[in-house]
Amino acid sequence: GGRFPSFRKNTVEIESPSLRYKKRRSLSRTFDCGADCAKFQKSELEYKFSKRALERPYNSKHSWGKTYGDHKRHLEFSHDQYRELKKYAEDIGIFLTASGMDEMAVEFLHELDVPFFKVASCDANNFPYLEKTAKKGRPMVISTGMQSMETIRRVYKTVKEHKQNFTLLQCTSAYPLDPKEVNLSVIKTFQEEFPDVPIGYSGHEQGIYITVAAVAMGAKVVERHVTLDKTWKGNDHEASLEPSELAELVRAIRLVETAMGSPVKQMLPCEKTCHDKLGKSVIAKVAISKGTVLSPDMFAVKVGEPKGIPPENMQNLVGKKIKVDVKEDDSILKIWA
């Protein structure tokens, strides 16, 4: 549809071996931890990779096959398995989507009726892909890893021509991500450059603190990788959160959301008790006779009884005649001047 679903902040990217029960368990644990949406990655391998790329020998300790194609085929879920996962997600009450890693994958996700399209950083500069995806009419969440500001300006312009409803995520594509390379300040740059677009954060660092800081800086969507076990084979697991960390992150984000509050600075009702006890007033520094014209050297500021004129209004007294005799160290009341 034309609007973002009702989730607020927490999108998690599931990382686990391609065993169905583990994927279902990942969805269940994600929901239990309080996240709003679980995101996978969907590829149609012959459209994402060239033939030579798929035939390349793959001898990594993380490999699930002799060639890179064998490895990716082992990990990739079928269309039917995605339909099963989507049904399961609906049954437990969590949104499910995926990064469409090529144009044919986007076609399938559109058919699957995902709530929004996720554009991975590796496709943020793939403008034919961006145009075709935007024309589908679904909300888009676009990660910006590996891209320049010039490219992101072009991404904004390209998607904006076709679709009003999208968000940009500050992202650095390294796993795990060194805090020195996070560059949370880009969030502010994006907010200033694209004020009509929600800005978020996709994090690959270890721990939760940097992501919480991103929320405090105004990130409207956050994405983190999640695993059931960081020791599993696969180079993303080390940069992922385990369920206990995800639950802690969600609690921290909700707390920060609450604490952000209103941008209006004013004394709040909850502060009245402290104000009544400790709030200061204008006090007579010396005894002042009735009819005296008031001057600043006659005033002190103390916690007075009763409450008198607040210090910020002291200058309003200067030049006025006092209507009553005031003893030294007494509060000066508004009705007296």
Side-chain angles (χ1 to χ4, degrees):
R3 300 181 58 197
F4 276 103
S6 60
F7 69 86
R8 298 184 67 190
K9 284 194 185 294
N10 306 305
T11 301
V12 296
E13 182 169 353
I14 303 297
E15 293 294 337
S16 65
S18 67
L19 299 173
R20 191 177 320 180
Y21 84 93
K22 288 186 176 179
K23 291 288 190 182
R24 290 170 69 110
R25 184 178 169 211
S26 295
L27 279 172
S28 179
R29 294 300 300 274
T30 299
F31 172 75
D32 291 342
C33 292
D36 304 292
C37 180
K39 182 190 73 67
F40 294 88
Q41 291 185 359
K42 182 69 186 91
S43 300
E44 303 293 346
L45 297 178
E46 285 70 25
Y47 289 89
K48 180 181 178 182
F49 298 101
S50 70
K51 184 177 181 181
R52 288 184 65 181
L54 291 174
E55 292 175 349
R56 172 173 59 89
Y58 192 51
N59 300 317
S60 165
K61 65 179 181 179
H62 301 301
S63 175
W64 292 93
K66 293 183 178 180
T67 67
Y68 196 63
D70 292 339
H71 167 75
K72 297 302 288 187
R73 290 185 191 97
H74 176 85
L75 294 171
E76 192 63 41
F77 264 44
S78 69
H79 289 189
D80 284 343
Q81 288 170 324
Y82 263 98
R83 293 186 183 100
E84 178 184 341
L85 283 172
K86 182 148 188 301
K87 174 68 166 57
Y88 182 67
E90 290 169 353
D91 289 345
I92 66 174
I94 192 170
F95 291 107
L96 180 141
T97 191
S99 297
M101 306 303 287
D102 54 80
E103 292 178 13
M104 291 306 295
V106 171
E107 292 293 336
F108 167 68
L109 294 172
H110 187 53
E111 173 197 323
L112 192 64
D113 196 26
V114 295
F116 64 92
F117 291 129
K118 171 66 197 300
V119 178
S121 292
C122 57
D123 279 308
N125 61 348
N126 183 350
F127 289 96
Y129 167 101
L130 288 173
E131 288 189 22
K132 291 179 181 179
T133 302
K135 287 178 180 178
K136 297 293 184 185
R138 296 183 187 274
M140 295 169 64
V141 176
I142 305 169
S143 281
T144 61
M146 304 180 286
Q147 311 303 330
S148 68
M149 191 64 189
E150 181 180 355
T151 297
I152 299 308
R153 290 189 184 104
R154 187 177 167 194
V155 170
Y156 170 87
K157 182 178 179 181
T158 299
V159 179
K160 194 75 172 175
E161 287 178 357
H162 302 285
K163 183 66 193 171
Q164 296 288 332
N165 201 1
F166 66 99
T167 183
L168 298 169
L169 307 184
Q170 161 57 2
C171 176
T172 302
S173 299
Y175 308 81
L177 175 58
D178 189 311
K180 295 192 297 292
E181 308 295 340
V182 172
N183 291 333
L184 285 182
S185 295
V186 175
I187 292 174
K188 294 297 184 185
T189 301
F190 283 173
Q191 289 168 337
E192 293 168 3
E193 184 95 10
F194 314 114
D196 58 336
V197 172
I199 303 302
Y201 174 67
S202 177
H204 305 127
E205 73 279 1
Q206 295 175 322
I208 71 169
Y209 302 117
I210 290 172
T211 301
V212 174
V215 175
M217 293 179 67
K220 302 303 182 186
V221 175
V222 297
E223 175 191 52
R224 290 296 305 269
H225 289 225
V226 172
T227 181
L228 297 180
D229 188 338
K230 293 182 182 182
T231 66
W232 277 343
K233 186 162 72 172
N235 58 7
D236 280 6
H237 291 286
E238 186 181 354
S240 300
L241 300 178
E242 292 184 343
S244 61
E245 295 173 297
L246 175 61
E248 183 182 359
L249 175 62
V250 172
R251 287 192 297 269
I253 286 175
R254 298 308 183 210
L255 182 61
V256 170
E257 285 181 314
T258 300
M260 292 298 286
S262 168
V264 178
K265 181 57 183 173
Q266 58 184 327
M267 189 171 75
L268 300 175
C270 66
E271 296 178 293
K272 186 176 184 305
T273 298
C274 186
H275 177 264
D276 289 348
K277 181 179 180 180
L278 299 176
K280 294 187 175 181
S281 302
V282 179
I283 304 296
K285 189 174 184 179
V286 296
I288 306 173
S289 301
K290 177 180 178 181
T292 300
V293 176
L294 298 172
S295 60
D297 60 345
M298 299 176 184
F299 307 141
V301 176
K302 297 183 180 182
V303 176
E305 183 65 37
K307 285 279 181 234
I309 294 171
E312 66 265 27
N313 295 334
M314 184 187 300
Q315 288 303 313
N316 296 338
L317 295 172
V318 176
K320 292 186 177 181
K321 289 184 179 181
I322 196 76
K323 298 176 182 177
V324 297
D325 292 330
V326 181
K327 296 178 181 180
E328 181 183 346
D329 212 42
D330 274 1
S331 300
I332 297 177
L333 305 183
K334 185 175 181 180
I335 60 173
W336 294 349

